[in-house]
């Protein structure tokens, strides 16, 4: 299957700082990438759909000013958690869509805000 | 809100046992049903994408069936091995166009012991 990388795999930051997470499709071009968040013992919850060259589409309840998404190329999408707070601590994972419906995931990023 | 449920939540079997899990999803507006295998600290691995009612797919000792009319899919593992230990996720994709999103179940956590 196709490979999606995600960096960093874990990050610890102080409250009030910003953190950027990168998601790359290594062997295919992805016009659409997705960002998910997982709380303990819950399913993967879609935060936003990232489309190359256009603005991301955010799910209801997700603050677009806090979670900035940029899909600058067909192989790279970034999620920036701005002014992070402890409640933003979570597991974030990205995926890339390979037409028409296959979807491949990165390994995820564990964010801890102190 | 789409409801995707998986059962059981967790399962503990011995090496050599065969096992199966269930994923239930909405029976309307179906486009595709995905199964993933997710080992700790790794990317979720795409197992199957199923699109047609009555579909049966097989990959080694793992197979899956699909019933879109009643809204369920079964995943079977024959002769479980310790390396099958993982969380198995299913995800429903509705027929909403090219940006169709995946809605995940909470997963079935399988542990296979010697």
């Amino acid at each position: 299957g196709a490979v999606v990388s995600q960096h960093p795999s874990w990050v610890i930051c102080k409250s009030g700082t910003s953190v950027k997470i990168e998601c790359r499709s290594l062997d295919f071009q992805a016009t659409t990438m997705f960002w998910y968040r997982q709380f303990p013992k819950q399913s993967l919850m879609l935060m936003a759909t990232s489309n190359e060259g256009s603005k991301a589409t955010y799910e209801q309840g997700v603050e677009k000013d806090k979670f900035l998404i940029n899909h600058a190329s067909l192989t790279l999408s970034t999620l920036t958690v701005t002014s992070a707070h402890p409640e933003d601590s979570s597991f974030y994972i990205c995926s890339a869509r390979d037409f028409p419906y296959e979807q491949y995931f990165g390994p995820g990023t564990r964010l801890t805000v102190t | 809100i789409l409801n995707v449920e998986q059962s059981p939540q967790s399962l503990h079997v011995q090496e050599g046992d065969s096992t199966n899990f269930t994923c239930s999803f909405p029976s309307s507006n179906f486009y595709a049903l995905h199964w993933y295998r997710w080992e700790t600290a790794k990317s979720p691995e795409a197992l199957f994408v199923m699109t047609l009612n009555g579909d049966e797919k097989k990959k080694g000792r793992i197979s899956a069936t699909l019933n879109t009319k009643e809204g369920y899919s079964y995943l079977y593992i024959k002769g479980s091995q310790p390396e099958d230990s993982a969380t198995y996720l299913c995800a429903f994709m509705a027929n909403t166009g090219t940006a169709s999103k995946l809605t995940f179940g909470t997963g079935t956590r399988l542990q296979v012991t010697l």
Side-chain angles (χ1 to χ4, degrees):
Chain A
V3 179
V4 175
S5 70
Q6 189 173 337
H7 296 281
S9 55
W10 59 270
V11 58
I12 302 172
C13 71
K14 292 188 176 180
S15 187
T17 62
S18 295
V19 173
K20 180 184 281 189
I21 303 170
E22 289 190 350
C23 178
R24 293 180 185 272
S25 57
L26 299 185
D27 49 5
F28 67 102
Q29 294 183 329
T31 54
T32 305
M33 291 185 174
F34 302 87
W35 287 95
Y36 296 83
R37 183 173 179 176
Q38 186 182 37
F39 292 103
K41 298 189 178 182
Q42 293 189 23
S43 60
L44 295 174
M45 298 298 296
L46 182 65
M47 298 174 65
T49 301
S50 168
N51 296 296
E52 186 266 337
S54 64
K55 290 183 179 180
T57 304
Y58 290 82
E59 295 299 299
Q60 192 172 8
V62 177
E63 298 177 61
K64 60 181 179 182
D65 293 331
K66 167 168 274 296
F67 299 102
L68 299 179
I69 291 172
N70 184 16
H71 195 152
S73 76
L74 287 171
T75 58
L76 174 65
S77 176
T78 60
L79 168 68
T80 301
V81 183
T82 63
S83 187
H85 290 285
E87 56 266 30
D88 299 324
S89 298
S90 190
F91 183 77
Y92 296 88
I93 190 168
C94 70
S95 68
R97 174 73 53 83
D98 192 10
F99 188 81
Y101 35 59
E102 281 82 5
Q103 196 161 318
Y104 300 99
F105 283 81
T109 297
R110 172 73 59 190
L111 170 64
T112 302
V113 184
T114 61
Chain B
I1 297 176
L2 299 175
N3 195 25
V4 179
E5 294 184 351
Q6 290 187 248
S7 63
Q9 282 191 335
S10 63
L11 197 53
H12 192 158
V13 302
Q14 290 196 316
E15 183 181 15
D17 288 349
S18 293
T19 187
N20 64 85
F21 329 129
T22 304
C23 173
S24 62
F25 51 87
S27 56
S28 60
N29 210 23
F30 177 88
Y31 187 53
L33 192 283
H34 297 240
W35 280 101
Y36 290 89
R37 178 175 175 273
W38 196 2
E39 289 182 76
T40 304
K42 294 186 179 180
S43 303
E45 174 195 357
L47 290 175
F48 306 113
V49 180
M50 310 180 79
T51 57
L52 299 175
N53 184 44
D55 240 359
E56 289 188 25
K57 298 221 172 181
K58 188 175 180 181
K59 186 176 182 179
R61 295 179 290 100
I62 304 176
S63 60
T65 61
L66 179 69
N67 184 323
T68 60
K69 293 185 178 179
E70 296 183 36
Y72 65 84
S73 175
Y74 294 135
L75 187 80
Y76 301 91
I77 301 178
K78 184 178 178 182
S80 302
Q81 299 296 309
E83 57 264 30
D84 296 328
S85 297
T87 296
Y88 291 83
L89 294 172
C90 71
F92 170 78
M93 183 181 281
N95 188 5
T96 57
T98 56
S100 298
K101 300 174 281 192
L102 294 180
T103 301
F104 282 86
T106 51
T108 293
R109 186 181 178 93
L110 173 67
Q111 189 171 354
V112 182
T113 53
L114 296 171

